[in-house]
Amino acid sequence: MIQGCDFKAMIGGFLDVQDEAALREHLERCASTLGFSQFAMGHHVDLAGPPRDAIRITNYDAEWIERSLSERFFAQDPVHIASTRTATGFLWSDLPSMIVMTDRQHMILEAARHYGLSEGFTVPVHVPGEYRGTCSFGTASLDAMVANALPIATIVGTYAFEAARRVMRMRGLVASNPGRLPTLTGRQGDSLV
């Protein structure tokens, strides 16, 4: 156990899930254990009309999701943009040091506060040949966060995302063959030598 967290059970749960409902339930349990009240995991795509093979699992407030879609917040979401500039997890309060934020992006963060998303931690998950993605954990305050929550959330986020990819493959929605990955031409390979 890591400071009150059964880390083995957290990771094992993601290795065992067989469907989206079980994945959502386990991710919600892990988020709560770490001290977060909400989560959103998914690919960064047009959420108003996402592709069939895009991952999207969340327990965000339904009104917030509806508002985000209707006002197309996802198109300029500062969390999504910042996630493309780092390979490590980050707190939402660190966004101004990561990107130059626009007035609209400040407004998006302020609007999220009304739905219990005042602070959060986001784990970038980028798999070559697939859509960019993240696993975010949100809350009204970090006061309830357990010791070592952020490094544990980083590992939980990556295992959760991989579990989602596996569930999508089982449903036949994500290609599992390497032919989908971009390949180099012979000439491009020569230039690397």
Side-chain angles (χ1 to χ4, degrees):
M1 296 237 274
I2 301 174
Q3 297 287 343
C5 295
D6 188 343
F7 189 64
K8 186 175 180 181
M10 285 181 162
I11 300 309
F14 292 117
L15 298 175
D16 293 339
V17 297
Q18 298 297 310
D19 57 46
E20 286 181 54
L23 175 56
R24 184 183 191 281
E25 182 180 304
H26 188 64
L27 186 52
E28 191 162 30
R29 190 169 36 255
C30 289
S32 177
T33 299
L34 294 173
F36 296 100
S37 58
Q38 300 181 59
F39 69 86
M41 179 177 62
H43 286 123
H44 297 179
V45 296
D46 182 344
L47 297 177
R52 277 182 28 101
D53 62 345
I55 293 168
R56 195 74 191 154
I57 300 173
T58 184
N59 73 344
Y60 279 2
D61 184 291
E63 289 182 23
W64 173 240
I65 294 171
E66 184 177 326
R67 181 173 179 194
S68 297
L69 291 174
S70 67
E71 297 184 38
R72 297 187 60 82
F73 289 162
F74 58 86
Q76 295 178 330
D77 187 325
V79 172
H80 289 186
I81 293 168
S83 76
T84 67
R85 307 222 167 104
T86 183
T88 61
F90 57 90
L91 289 167
W92 298 350
S93 53
D94 291 335
L95 287 169
S97 68
M98 298 176 72
I99 61 172
V100 177
M101 291 186 47
T102 65
D103 289 342
R104 178 165 170 81
Q105 290 168 332
H106 283 289
M107 183 275 296
I108 290 169
L109 292 180
E110 185 57 37
R113 293 179 188 279
H114 298 288
Y115 299 92
L117 296 168
S118 297
E119 179 61 285
F121 183 73
T122 294
V123 180
V125 184
H126 307 306
V127 178
E130 294 183 13
Y131 311 113
R132 293 179 184 264
T134 50
C135 184
S136 291
F137 302 93
T139 186
S141 165
L142 295 179
D143 293 342
M145 195 167 58
V146 300
N148 298 313
L150 301 185
I152 296 169
T154 299
I155 296 168
V156 164
T158 56
Y159 270 86
F161 208 94
E162 187 58 31
R165 293 178 69 242
R166 187 181 72 250
V167 168
M168 296 293 276
R169 279 193 306 272
M170 288 188 304
R171 289 178 39 207
L173 296 177
V174 175
S176 60
N177 62 41
R180 180 167 185 215
L181 298 175
T183 57
L184 297 176
T185 66
R187 182 68 184 126
Q188 289 169 326
D190 291 344
S191 69
L192 295 175
V193 180

